[in-house]
Amino acid sequence: MPHFEPIIIGNQCSSQWEQMIQSVLPSTLAQSLVAVVLIFVQGVMLNRITIKHRLTQKMTLFPGMIYILLCSILVENLSLTQFTIGNLFALIALSHSIDIYKKYKPELTLFRSGFWLGVAVLCSPVYLLLLIPIVWCLISMRTFSFREFFQLAIGIDASLLILYTIHSVCGQGQFIETYFNLPIGIMTLDTDPFILGYLALIALVILLSILYYGKFTFKKSLPAKKKIDILYIILLSSLGLIIINCSGAFSIFYYLWIPLSILISMLVIRSKYLLVAEMIHLIVLAMIINNHFNIFSLI
């Protein structure tokens, strides 16, 4: 059998972020520890969103567990990157957006949602994609109002203005131009069998999630249905990752893990064969451990 060499993939899409992380945390061990803590916190936040808004049939911690597994499949994804940090702010923005339902005075909630979305965009322009589901959330959960839309926009502008001000004062005004110079181009498929299998598995799970949409929303209350729809809008907006890609840096899939971890947990809960789901979980966990520590080599 062929011998599979370790996969070498760039993690950062921005040289500015790479330099900043290296200057603040020069130790790779410290970077990894911070990344692990951030991923754990994000898993907890996903669990809180799922339980608070009753997105699944049962109260479960599956979304957070699955999110951590998805983030751990590739070794490179456990390093501290702009996406590891950006997903934290994206989840905060999403949490405030979903809370907008039947808010009597939503001004502060809208501003917070926009502000944290803007902070996520500062981490990576990829999070501009999140603007689509957040605007959809505003339209579907409330009577559309330009006034409320502007309140959201003011929050986004506030975070971007803070960054521009800081870099102008520091004499680095060109940062904005270089940072938002997006790497536009169709994502190319890697010929590595592991990567192809990895992408095929993601595609299969996305397809299953789409096919099970009717069952996920069956007998759900109207607010719960609208909130599940938001997950699918995020999933749909993630198609933009095919065009806005970072030359093979699969860490951009952190954005995709937000809806996919919740949708996979719904699939697991609805399964009649929980033992099979548990066996798959153990197999995936064993593969992740082997991929990280090279216990067994495929030769």
Side-chain angles (χ1 to χ4, degrees):
M1 295 179 64
H3 176 68
F4 296 109
E5 297 294 337
I7 303 166
I8 301 174
I9 301 174
N11 293 326
Q12 310 287 352
C13 290
S14 167
S15 58
Q16 288 88 348
W17 265 97
E18 185 174 358
Q19 294 169 6
M20 184 176 67
I21 291 174
Q22 288 293 336
S23 62
V24 175
L25 290 172
S27 170
T28 54
L29 176 60
Q31 291 180 23
S32 296
L33 289 175
V34 172
V36 169
V37 171
L38 284 175
I39 291 171
F40 174 78
V41 171
Q42 290 161 18
V44 173
M45 292 175 66
L46 268 174
N47 284 335
R48 183 178 181 277
I49 292 172
T50 305
I51 294 172
K52 180 180 179 180
H53 299 284
R54 300 181 181 181
L55 299 179
T56 55
Q57 286 183 322
K58 302 175 183 178
M59 186 178 295
T60 176
L61 301 180
F62 279 155
M65 181 198 73
I66 293 171
Y67 178 83
I68 293 172
L69 284 176
L70 290 172
C71 292
S72 306
I73 293 177
L74 295 180
V75 180
E76 294 81 0
N77 285 359
L78 285 178
S79 58
L80 185 62
T81 69
Q82 58 201 106
F83 304 103
T84 321
I85 301 169
N87 256 30
L88 177 67
F89 302 121
L91 283 168
I92 296 174
L94 180 63
S95 177
H96 285 300
S97 299
I98 297 178
D99 280 340
I100 203 69
Y101 186 72
K102 286 189 175 180
K103 279 276 186 181
Y104 176 62
K105 293 184 177 180
E107 292 84 3
L108 186 57
T109 303
L110 286 166
F111 178 83
R112 287 173 176 172
S113 177
F115 180 83
W116 292 114
L117 172 60
V119 176
V121 171
L122 297 180
C123 294
S124 172
V126 164
Y127 293 101
L128 283 168
L129 297 173
L130 190 60
L131 182 62
I132 300 171
I134 286 181
V135 171
W136 176 269
C137 185
L138 178 60
I139 294 173
S140 63
M141 292 191 176
R142 300 180 64 82
T143 303
F144 180 75
S145 167
F146 281 108
R147 178 172 174 268
E148 293 184 352
F149 177 78
F150 281 124
Q151 289 166 349
L152 176 70
I154 288 171
I156 298 173
D157 292 339
S159 57
L160 298 178
L161 182 61
I162 290 172
L163 176 75
Y164 184 80
T165 302
I166 292 173
H167 283 273
S168 295
V169 170
C170 296
Q172 299 179 15
Q174 295 299 316
F175 176 87
I176 302 295
E177 296 179 12
T178 57
Y179 185 68
F180 286 97
N181 185 17
L182 300 180
I184 303 296
I186 301 297
M187 180 183 293
T188 57
L189 291 178
D190 197 291
T191 56
D192 190 293
F194 181 82
I195 290 295
L196 290 176
Y198 171 69
L199 295 176
L201 182 61
I202 294 173
L204 176 62
V205 173
I206 291 175
L207 180 61
L208 286 174
S209 300
I210 294 173
L211 293 176
Y212 270 76
Y213 170 79
K215 294 183 179 180
F216 290 161
T217 55
F218 184 63
K219 291 185 178 180
K220 287 281 188 181
S221 63
L222 182 60
K225 286 182 179 179
K226 290 183 176 181
K227 292 169 184 177
I228 292 174
D229 286 344
I230 299 301
L231 296 178
Y232 280 92
I233 296 297
I234 300 175
L235 192 66
L236 180 63
S237 67
S238 67
L239 291 174
L241 297 176
I242 297 175
I243 299 175
I244 306 176
N245 61 81
C246 304
S247 302
F250 285 100
S251 50
I252 61 171
F253 284 138
Y254 267 103
Y255 177 80
L256 177 60
W257 300 156
I258 294 175
L260 207 57
S261 56
I262 300 177
L263 294 174
I264 292 175
S265 68
M266 292 180 180
L267 287 171
V268 173
I269 291 172
R270 295 195 63 87
S271 175
K272 297 180 180 179
Y273 307 99
L274 290 178
L275 181 60
V276 176
E278 188 61 33
M279 290 298 295
I280 294 174
H281 165 240
L282 291 175
I283 291 172
V284 172
L285 183 61
M287 291 175 63
I288 291 173
I289 293 174
N290 182 67
N291 187 40
H292 282 235
F293 298 101
N294 293 320
I295 300 173
F296 299 103
S297 298
L298 297 174
I299 56 175

